[in-house]
């Protein structure tokens, strides 16, 4: 079935500054280039050794003291080096690991130049994790820092085999989703390859390397004695009408959990970024509207917000978005403290916007959030969930935002990742 021939322009009323933040993020990444090699070494060492729950000791990567960037004093940061990170305990460890991944915002408006500057692919359902291979072992850690698997792999330096290229610095870091049904690690991004950091490389370059380098190692082969789990790439398309339709409709060997959009010029930015976006509907994801622990759709949308010192309720964004404020007397009586994550239901008054900014919200306090939660909800998640219940951004809207003529002008994507 061919893509719809939609030629009408598509424009939704502005309900966020997501487009402006995308532009600022692209400008900032060219101005604030960090020591990407050092960042990769710190993360690799941390994944392998920090708070290890595996009984056998895992050797750390050697990090030369003189190459350590100067750390600012203050609260936990995503650029914390291994010597500082190793002192963390409990929630701080989980927060540190959660901040090492590039986390997409939810698509609440359609990016400009979607067909020219963006890739799209079907996101595998499963556990998001960081996979590191080094010194003859491979470790995967989930967002909360817990070890998912400790295993031999065909990745460079990922198993104790005779690998002529497996030097102590030949470590790799992959951003993956582990798919339970077929016991496969689907690689959605490459952070470091054979000791070479890709943090400050564009998504276009990272995807090209991922597609060309991973298959060379044999990591995509069936499991064996020295390769316990199979790795696989995902089909990535240019986000023209043909590519968008293919990512949405075509079958893949894994269960889909929405579509992921990556800006071609985006570097690997840890934490939330508007240069990566996730979008869902009922046809490409089992769970679109948030559910309870039993998988049932909630009668009212629930949000988790962080209590600030002045009583304001904020999202996890940087800078945070304020959704309301709690009375000081109520805070004192309830025994709440600054930094607490609190759960609210959005009442019948809903959310109101003026000129693309949140003006007011009808929040009903439900209690403290689950202790396993590390962060408040992001603004984009709250708004996406609100839109799904009221005025969803539909797939036809996405198609309509892409000019059909782009299919004729653009060649097939050079980085389509297929085994």
């Amino acid at each position: 079935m061919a893509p719809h021939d939609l030629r009408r322009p598509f424009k939704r009323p502005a309900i966020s500054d997501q487009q402006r933040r995308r532009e600022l993020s692209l400008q900032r990444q060219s101005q604030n280039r960090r020591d990407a090699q050092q960042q990769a070494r710190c993360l690799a060492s941390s994944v392998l050794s920090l708070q290890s729950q595996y009984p056998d000791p895992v050797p750390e990567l050697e990090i030369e003291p003189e190459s350590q960037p100067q750390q600012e004093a203050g609260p936990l940061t995503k650029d914390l080096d291994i010597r500082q990170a190793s002192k963390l305990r409990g929630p701080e460890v989980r927060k540190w690991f959660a901040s090492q991944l590039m986390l997409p915002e939810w698509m609440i408006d359609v990016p400009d130049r979607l067909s020219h500057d963006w890739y799209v692919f079907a996101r595998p359902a499963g556990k998001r994790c960081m996979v590191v291979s080094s010194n003859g072992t491979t470790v995967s850690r989930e967002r909360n820092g817990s070890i998912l698997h400790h295993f031999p792999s065909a990745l460079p330096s990922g198993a104790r085999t005779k690998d002529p290229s497996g030097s102590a610095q030949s470590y790799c870091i992959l951003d993956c989703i582990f798919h339970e049904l077929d016991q496969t690690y689907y690689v959605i991004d490459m952070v470091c390859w054979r000791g070479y950091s890709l943090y400050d490389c564009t998504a276009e370059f990272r995807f090209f390397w991922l597609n060309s380098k991973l298959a060379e190692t044999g990591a995509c082969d069936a499991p064996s004695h020295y390769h316990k789990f199979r790795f696989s790439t995902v089909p990535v398309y240019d986000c023209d009408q043909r590519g968008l339709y293919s990512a949405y409709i075509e079958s893949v060997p894994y269960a889909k959990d929405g579509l992921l959009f990556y800006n071609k010029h985006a570097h690997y930015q840890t934490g939330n970024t508007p240069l990566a976006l996730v979008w869902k509907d009922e046809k490409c994801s089992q769970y679109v509207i948030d559910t309870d622990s039993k998988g049932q759709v909630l009668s009212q949308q629930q949000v988790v917000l962080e209590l600030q010192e002045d009583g304001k309720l904020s999202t996890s964004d940087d800078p945070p978005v304020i959704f309301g404020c709690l009375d000081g007397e109520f805070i004192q009586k309830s025994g709440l403290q600054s930094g607490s994550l609190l759960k609210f239901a959005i009442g019948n008054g809903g959310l109101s916007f003026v000129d693309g900014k949140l003006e007011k919200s009808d929040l009903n306090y439900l209690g403290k959030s689950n202790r396993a939660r590390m962060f408040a909800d992001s603004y984009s998640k709250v708004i996406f969930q609100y839109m799904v219940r009221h005025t969803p951004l539909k797939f036809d809207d996405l198609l309509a935002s892409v000019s059909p003529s782009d299919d004729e002008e653009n060649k097939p994507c050079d980085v389509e990742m297929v085994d």
Side-chain angles (χ1 to χ4, degrees):
M1 184 175 180
H4 301 305
D5 187 15
L6 299 174
R7 298 181 182 276
R8 62 182 175 85
F10 173 73
K11 191 70 175 178
R12 292 174 64 94
I15 60 171
S16 78
D17 61 350
Q18 203 170 46
Q19 178 59 35
R20 182 183 66 85
R21 289 186 293 104
R22 277 191 285 268
E23 296 169 356
L24 290 175
S25 186
L26 285 171
Q27 294 174 9
R28 192 180 303 116
Q29 72 179 17
S30 62
Q31 298 169 355
N32 300 331
R33 297 180 67 90
R34 63 172 175 267
D35 186 345
Q37 194 70 34
Q38 178 65 17
Q39 172 77 2
R41 287 185 179 183
C42 290
L43 178 56
S45 296
S46 303
V47 171
L48 287 171
S49 59
L50 179 58
Q51 293 286 94
S52 179
Q53 301 172 13
Y54 197 77
D56 296 331
V58 180
E60 295 185 9
L61 293 171
E62 294 182 0
I63 303 177
E64 299 176 1
E66 61 269 22
S67 66
Q68 296 287 352
Q70 184 177 359
Q71 300 294 330
E72 297 180 0
L76 179 66
T77 68
K78 63 186 178 183
D79 294 322
L80 205 65
D81 68 36
I82 179 58
R83 289 177 297 182
Q84 292 172 288
S86 63
K87 300 177 182 179
L88 302 176
R89 296 293 183 270
E92 288 187 329
V93 172
R94 297 195 294 273
K95 281 187 177 182
W96 189 86
F97 273 105
S99 67
Q100 302 307 305
L101 289 166
M102 180 171 171
L103 304 176
E105 291 191 6
W106 292 76
M107 183 185 284
I108 53 181
D109 62 37
V110 180
D112 293 343
R113 295 178 54 84
L114 183 62
S115 62
H116 296 278
D117 293 340
W118 293 76
Y119 292 128
V120 61
F121 59 93
R123 181 171 74 167
K127 297 178 180 179
R128 182 82 179 274
C129 56
M130 195 70 77
V131 177
V132 172
S133 64
S134 181
N135 295 321
T137 191
T138 305
V139 176
S140 60
R141 283 189 184 265
E142 299 181 63
R143 284 182 57 181
N144 63 6
S146 64
I147 291 181
L148 178 59
H149 294 125
H150 187 291
F151 60 103
S153 76
L155 296 174
S157 299
R160 298 189 181 281
T161 59
K162 293 182 179 180
D163 181 3
S165 61
S167 66
Q169 297 303 316
S170 184
Y171 59 94
C172 297
I173 307 174
L174 302 177
D175 186 345
C176 301
I177 295 177
F178 182 69
H179 191 251
E180 293 276 359
L181 294 178
D182 59 4
Q183 295 286 288
T184 297
Y185 280 94
Y186 286 94
V187 187
I188 62 172
D189 213 330
M190 179 180 283
V191 182
C192 181
W193 188 254
R194 294 189 184 277
Y196 176 71
S197 172
L198 301 173
Y199 275 101
D200 288 336
C201 297
T202 65
E204 189 171 23
F205 181 82
R206 297 197 311 273
F207 286 178
F208 170 76
W209 259 49
L210 172 56
N211 190 43
S212 60
K213 299 295 183 181
L214 190 66
E216 296 176 0
T217 65
C220 297
D221 296 342
S224 61
H225 180 70
Y226 290 107
H227 182 59
K228 186 174 181 179
F229 294 101
R230 180 175 177 265
F231 287 77
S232 180
T233 54
V234 297
V236 176
Y237 304 93
D238 282 313
C239 198
D240 50 31
Q241 280 201 347
R242 189 178 304 278
L244 183 60
Y245 200 82
S246 297
Y248 183 67
I249 293 296
E250 290 187 0
S251 61
V252 287
Y254 50 83
K256 293 182 181 180
D257 187 26
L259 299 182
L260 271 176
F261 298 79
Y262 270 60
N263 188 288
K264 296 180 180 180
H265 311 291
H267 296 174
Y268 193 93
Q269 302 179 18
T270 56
N272 293 329
T273 173
L275 298 179
L277 301 169
V278 61
W279 174 89
K280 296 181 181 182
D281 72 0
E282 293 79 3
K283 292 185 179 180
C284 66
S285 177
Q286 182 179 2
Y287 300 107
V288 180
I289 299 179
D290 284 344
T291 61
D292 59 19
S293 58
K294 298 180 180 179
Q296 301 297 316
V297 174
L298 301 168
S299 59
Q300 289 183 305
Q301 180 183 348
Q302 295 184 4
V303 299
V304 175
L305 301 170
E306 182 176 347
L307 179 63
Q308 303 295 326
E309 290 185 0
D310 56 3
K312 292 181 179 179
L313 301 166
S314 68
T315 64
S316 61
D317 302 275
D318 184 17
V321 178
I322 305 302
F323 268 70
C325 186
L326 287 182
D327 179 74
E329 184 178 352
F330 174 81
I331 294 175
Q332 187 174 10
K333 287 183 178 180
S334 303
L336 302 178
Q337 297 180 346
S338 173
S340 298
L341 298 181
L342 309 179
K343 186 185 298 183
F344 296 85
I346 297 181
N348 296 330
L351 305 177
S352 300
F353 305 90
V354 174
D355 297 329
K357 295 184 179 180
L358 181 70
E359 181 185 37
K360 61 180 180 179
S361 57
D362 181 9
L363 299 178
N364 299 319
Y365 179 66
L366 298 178
K368 292 185 178 180
S369 175
N370 188 307
R371 294 181 62 183
R373 285 289 298 258
M374 289 293 99
F375 300 101
D377 287 331
S378 66
Y379 177 76
S380 64
K381 178 184 178 182
V382 175
I383 303 306
F384 184 90
Q385 288 293 317
Y386 188 77
M387 289 167 54
V388 166
R389 291 172 176 265
H390 298 88
T391 55
L393 179 61
K394 299 179 180 179
F395 181 71
D396 282 349
D397 296 332
L398 297 179
L399 280 177
S401 68
V402 181
S403 171
S405 61
D406 291 336
D407 285 346
E408 301 174 1
E409 298 173 359
N410 293 347
K411 296 180 180 180
C413 178
D414 292 332
V415 297
E416 182 170 339
M417 298 189 226
V418 293
D419 292 343

